[in-house]
mmCIF file of all heavy atoms in Angstrom:
data_model
loop_
_atom_site.group_PDB
_atom_site.id
_atom_site.type_symbol
_atom_site.label_atom_id
_atom_site.label_comp_id
_atom_site.label_asym_id
_atom_site.label_seq_id
_atom_site.Cartn_x
_atom_site.Cartn_y
_atom_site.Cartn_z
ATOM 1 N N ALA A 873 -92.253 65.856 -103.499
ATOM 2 C CA ALA A 873 -93.418 66.717 -103.718
ATOM 3 C C ALA A 873 -93.621 67.594 -102.487
ATOM 4 O O ALA A 873 -92.974 67.386 -101.451
ATOM 5 C CB ALA A 873 -94.676 65.884 -103.961
ATOM 6 N N ILE A 874 -94.530 68.535 -102.612
ATOM 7 C CA ILE A 874 -95.051 69.231 -101.433
ATOM 8 C C ILE A 874 -96.232 68.410 -100.927
ATOM 9 O O ILE A 874 -97.131 68.074 -101.707
ATOM 10 C CB ILE A 874 -95.484 70.670 -101.756
ATOM 11 C CG1 ILE A 874 -94.296 71.475 -102.275
ATOM 12 C CG2 ILE A 874 -96.081 71.333 -100.518
ATOM 13 C CD1 ILE A 874 -94.663 72.866 -102.752
ATOM 14 N N TYR A 875 -96.217 68.095 -99.657
ATOM 15 C CA TYR A 875 -97.271 67.285 -99.045
ATOM 16 C C TYR A 875 -98.200 68.186 -98.239
ATOM 17 O O TYR A 875 -97.739 69.010 -97.435
ATOM 18 C CB TYR A 875 -96.662 66.210 -98.150
ATOM 19 C CG TYR A 875 -96.103 65.053 -98.941
ATOM 20 C CD1 TYR A 875 -94.949 65.197 -99.713
ATOM 21 C CD2 TYR A 875 -96.743 63.820 -98.960
ATOM 22 C CE1 TYR A 875 -94.448 64.151 -100.463
ATOM 23 C CE2 TYR A 875 -96.252 62.762 -99.707
ATOM 24 C CZ TYR A 875 -95.109 62.931 -100.461
ATOM 25 O OH TYR A 875 -94.616 61.891 -101.218
ATOM 26 N N TYR A 876 -99.498 68.003 -98.469
ATOM 27 C CA TYR A 876 -100.521 68.806 -97.829
ATOM 28 C C TYR A 876 -101.431 67.929 -96.973
ATOM 29 O O TYR A 876 -101.862 66.853 -97.407
ATOM 30 C CB TYR A 876 -101.378 69.521 -98.871
ATOM 31 C CG TYR A 876 -100.637 70.502 -99.738
ATOM 32 C CD1 TYR A 876 -100.070 70.108 -100.940
ATOM 33 C CD2 TYR A 876 -100.527 71.839 -99.357
ATOM 34 C CE1 TYR A 876 -99.390 71.004 -101.750
ATOM 35 C CE2 TYR A 876 -99.853 72.753 -100.159
ATOM 36 C CZ TYR A 876 -99.290 72.330 -101.345
ATOM 37 O OH TYR A 876 -98.628 73.233 -102.142
ATOM 38 N N CYS A 877 -101.741 68.431 -95.807
ATOM 39 C CA CYS A 877 -102.748 67.827 -94.942
ATOM 40 C C CYS A 877 -104.084 68.509 -95.222
ATOM 41 O O CYS A 877 -104.116 69.720 -95.526
ATOM 42 C CB CYS A 877 -102.321 68.031 -93.497
ATOM 43 S SG CYS A 877 -103.517 67.582 -92.261
ATOM 44 N N ALA A 878 -105.176 67.764 -95.127
ATOM 45 C CA ALA A 878 -106.483 68.342 -95.405
ATOM 46 C C ALA A 878 -107.542 67.725 -94.502
ATOM 47 O O ALA A 878 -107.432 66.566 -94.092
ATOM 48 C CB ALA A 878 -106.851 68.132 -96.869
ATOM 49 N N ALA A 879 -108.568 68.533 -94.227
ATOM 50 C CA ALA A 879 -109.732 68.077 -93.469
ATOM 51 C C ALA A 879 -110.968 68.198 -94.351
ATOM 52 O O ALA A 879 -111.111 69.182 -95.096
ATOM 53 C CB ALA A 879 -109.893 68.906 -92.203
ATOM 54 N N ALA A 880 -111.845 67.215 -94.265
ATOM 55 C CA ALA A 880 -113.066 67.228 -95.073
ATOM 56 C C ALA A 880 -113.917 68.459 -94.748
ATOM 57 O O ALA A 880 -113.911 68.957 -93.630
ATOM 58 C CB ALA A 880 -113.864 65.960 -94.836
ATOM 59 N N HIS A 881 -114.663 68.907 -95.746
ATOM 60 C CA HIS A 881 -115.389 70.177 -95.585
ATOM 61 C C HIS A 881 -116.662 70.020 -94.769
ATOM 62 O O HIS A 881 -117.269 71.013 -94.387
ATOM 63 C CB HIS A 881 -115.700 70.773 -96.958
ATOM 64 C CG HIS A 881 -116.734 70.018 -97.736
ATOM 65 N ND1 HIS A 881 -118.084 70.248 -97.611
ATOM 66 C CD2 HIS A 881 -116.610 69.033 -98.654
ATOM 67 C CE1 HIS A 881 -118.740 69.437 -98.435
ATOM 68 N NE2 HIS A 881 -117.876 68.691 -99.069
ATOM 69 N N ARG A 882 -117.073 68.785 -94.496
ATOM 70 C CA ARG A 882 -118.267 68.558 -93.673
ATOM 71 C C ARG A 882 -118.071 67.260 -92.894
ATOM 72 O O ARG A 882 -117.201 66.456 -93.247
ATOM 73 C CB ARG A 882 -119.512 68.458 -94.560
ATOM 74 C CG ARG A 882 -119.502 67.310 -95.557
ATOM 75 C CD ARG A 882 -120.785 67.295 -96.376
ATOM 76 N NE ARG A 882 -120.770 66.288 -97.434
ATOM 77 C CZ ARG A 882 -121.174 65.044 -97.267
ATOM 78 N NH1 ARG A 882 -121.603 64.635 -96.088
ATOM 79 N NH2 ARG A 882 -121.151 64.186 -98.289
ATOM 80 N N PRO A 883 -118.850 67.042 -91.835
ATOM 81 C CA PRO A 883 -118.711 65.811 -91.057
ATOM 82 C C PRO A 883 -119.326 64.616 -91.775
ATOM 83 O O PRO A 883 -120.518 64.358 -91.648
ATOM 84 C CB PRO A 883 -119.417 66.120 -89.740
ATOM 85 C CG PRO A 883 -120.259 67.302 -90.001
ATOM 86 C CD PRO A 883 -119.787 67.992 -91.207
ATOM 87 N N PHE A 884 -118.504 63.886 -92.526
ATOM 88 C CA PHE A 884 -118.940 62.669 -93.173
ATOM 89 C C PHE A 884 -119.261 61.601 -92.125
ATOM 90 O O PHE A 884 -118.901 61.730 -90.963
ATOM 91 C CB PHE A 884 -117.845 62.156 -94.115
ATOM 92 C CG PHE A 884 -117.756 62.921 -95.410
ATOM 93 C CD1 PHE A 884 -117.021 64.101 -95.476
ATOM 94 C CD2 PHE A 884 -118.398 62.473 -96.546
ATOM 95 C CE1 PHE A 884 -116.922 64.813 -96.662
ATOM 96 C CE2 PHE A 884 -118.307 63.176 -97.733
ATOM 97 C CZ PHE A 884 -117.572 64.351 -97.791
ATOM 98 N N SER A 885 -119.936 60.544 -92.567
ATOM 99 C CA SER A 885 -120.273 59.478 -91.636
ATOM 100 C C SER A 885 -119.005 58.905 -91.015
ATOM 101 O O SER A 885 -117.919 59.010 -91.578
ATOM 102 C CB SER A 885 -121.073 58.384 -92.342
ATOM 103 O OG SER A 885 -120.275 57.749 -93.312
ATOM 104 N N TYR A 886 -119.169 58.268 -89.879
ATOM 105 C CA TYR A 886 -118.059 57.894 -89.013
ATOM 106 C C TYR A 886 -117.003 57.042 -89.710
ATOM 107 O O TYR A 886 -115.810 57.156 -89.431
ATOM 108 C CB TYR A 886 -118.615 57.167 -87.796
ATOM 109 C CG TYR A 886 -117.680 57.025 -86.638
ATOM 110 C CD1 TYR A 886 -117.108 58.145 -86.037
ATOM 111 C CD2 TYR A 886 -117.371 55.776 -86.115
ATOM 112 C CE1 TYR A 886 -116.248 58.015 -84.971
ATOM 113 C CE2 TYR A 886 -116.504 55.640 -85.044
ATOM 114 C CZ TYR A 886 -115.961 56.770 -84.476
ATOM 115 O OH TYR A 886 -115.101 56.636 -83.414
ATOM 116 N N HIS A 887 -117.418 56.180 -90.622
ATOM 117 C CA HIS A 887 -116.490 55.229 -91.227
ATOM 118 C C HIS A 887 -116.066 55.608 -92.649
ATOM 119 O O HIS A 887 -115.373 54.841 -93.303
ATOM 120 C CB HIS A 887 -117.113 53.840 -91.244
ATOM 121 C CG HIS A 887 -117.445 53.323 -89.879
ATOM 122 N ND1 HIS A 887 -116.479 53.032 -88.930
ATOM 123 C CD2 HIS A 887 -118.639 53.075 -89.284
ATOM 124 C CE1 HIS A 887 -117.059 52.617 -87.831
ATOM 125 N NE2 HIS A 887 -118.371 52.632 -88.005
ATOM 126 N N THR A 888 -116.446 56.768 -93.125
ATOM 127 C CA THR A 888 -116.154 57.170 -94.497
ATOM 128 C C THR A 888 -114.748 57.733 -94.631
ATOM 129 O O THR A 888 -114.372 58.657 -93.904
ATOM 130 C CB THR A 888 -117.163 58.215 -94.985
ATOM 131 O OG1 THR A 888 -118.470 57.653 -94.984
ATOM 132 C CG2 THR A 888 -116.822 58.685 -96.398
ATOM 133 N N VAL A 889 -113.990 57.166 -95.575
ATOM 134 C CA VAL A 889 -112.699 57.740 -95.961
ATOM 135 C C VAL A 889 -112.945 58.611 -97.193
ATOM 136 O O VAL A 889 -113.518 58.148 -98.177
ATOM 137 C CB VAL A 889 -111.668 56.647 -96.278
ATOM 138 C CG1 VAL A 889 -110.331 57.288 -96.672
ATOM 139 C CG2 VAL A 889 -111.480 55.722 -95.092
ATOM 140 N N VAL A 890 -112.562 59.834 -97.128
ATOM 141 C CA VAL A 890 -112.814 60.790 -98.206
ATOM 142 C C VAL A 890 -111.636 60.771 -99.170
ATOM 143 O O VAL A 890 -110.491 60.939 -98.760
ATOM 144 C CB VAL A 890 -113.028 62.195 -97.617
ATOM 145 C CG1 VAL A 890 -113.293 63.206 -98.728
ATOM 146 C CG2 VAL A 890 -114.204 62.185 -96.636
ATOM 147 N N LEU A 891 -111.941 60.582 -100.461
ATOM 148 C CA LEU A 891 -110.885 60.324 -101.433
ATOM 149 C C LEU A 891 -110.637 61.472 -102.402
ATOM 150 O O LEU A 891 -109.570 61.531 -103.014
ATOM 151 C CB LEU A 891 -111.223 59.070 -102.245
ATOM 152 C CG LEU A 891 -111.494 57.792 -101.452
ATOM 153 C CD1 LEU A 891 -111.778 56.633 -102.410
ATOM 154 C CD2 LEU A 891 -110.321 57.456 -100.546
ATOM 155 N N THR A 892 -111.604 62.352 -102.577
ATOM 156 C CA THR A 892 -111.506 63.326 -103.656
ATOM 157 C C THR A 892 -111.181 64.717 -103.138
ATOM 158 O O THR A 892 -111.667 65.149 -102.094
ATOM 159 C CB THR A 892 -112.808 63.382 -104.452
ATOM 160 O OG1 THR A 892 -113.890 63.620 -103.539
ATOM 161 C CG2 THR A 892 -113.047 62.076 -105.173
ATOM 162 N N THR A 893 -110.371 65.437 -103.916
ATOM 163 C CA THR A 893 -109.891 66.748 -103.517
ATOM 164 C C THR A 893 -111.034 67.702 -103.200
ATOM 165 O O THR A 893 -110.979 68.434 -102.197
ATOM 166 C CB THR A 893 -109.020 67.350 -104.633
ATOM 167 O OG1 THR A 893 -108.011 66.431 -104.997
ATOM 168 C CG2 THR A 893 -108.391 68.655 -104.196
ATOM 169 N N HIS A 894 -112.093 67.699 -103.977
ATOM 170 C CA HIS A 894 -113.147 68.698 -103.810
ATOM 171 C C HIS A 894 -113.976 68.475 -102.552
ATOM 172 O O HIS A 894 -114.729 69.357 -102.144
ATOM 173 C CB HIS A 894 -114.049 68.755 -105.038
ATOM 174 C CG HIS A 894 -114.974 67.576 -105.176
ATOM 175 N ND1 HIS A 894 -114.614 66.419 -105.805
ATOM 176 C CD2 HIS A 894 -116.248 67.395 -104.741
ATOM 177 C CE1 HIS A 894 -115.625 65.573 -105.772
ATOM 178 N NE2 HIS A 894 -116.625 66.140 -105.137
ATOM 179 N N GLU A 895 -113.844 67.309 -101.911
ATOM 180 C CA GLU A 895 -114.558 67.053 -100.661
ATOM 181 C C GLU A 895 -113.778 67.553 -99.439
ATOM 182 O O GLU A 895 -114.273 67.481 -98.325
ATOM 183 C CB GLU A 895 -114.838 65.565 -100.505
ATOM 184 C CG GLU A 895 -115.762 64.988 -101.563
ATOM 185 C CD GLU A 895 -117.230 65.311 -101.289
ATOM 186 O OE1 GLU A 895 -117.531 66.256 -100.539
ATOM 187 O OE2 GLU A 895 -118.085 64.603 -101.856
ATOM 188 N N TYR A 896 -112.583 68.043 -99.668
ATOM 189 C CA TYR A 896 -111.780 68.601 -98.580
ATOM 190 C C TYR A 896 -111.882 70.121 -98.606
ATOM 191 O O TYR A 896 -111.682 70.731 -99.647
ATOM 192 C CB TYR A 896 -110.317 68.161 -98.708
ATOM 193 C CG TYR A 896 -110.103 66.721 -98.311
ATOM 194 C CD1 TYR A 896 -110.225 65.690 -99.238
ATOM 195 C CD2 TYR A 896 -109.798 66.388 -96.990
ATOM 196 C CE1 TYR A 896 -110.048 64.367 -98.857
ATOM 197 C CE2 TYR A 896 -109.606 65.074 -96.608
ATOM 198 C CZ TYR A 896 -109.736 64.066 -97.543
ATOM 199 O OH TYR A 896 -109.564 62.757 -97.165
#
């Protein structure tokens, strides 16, 4: 596949792992 790196669109809490595409 093509692999993409992404950063969340806002500073989530310190321990939150962001799982959904629309949050990046």
Side-chain angles (χ1 to χ4, degrees):
I874 300 174
Y875 283 71
Y876 297 91
C877 171
H881 70 87
R882 62 180 175 89
F884 283 84
S885 66
Y886 195 58
H887 300 294
T888 298
V889 180
V890 180
L891 305 181
T892 54
T893 307
H894 73 273
E895 296 282 20
Y896 285 89

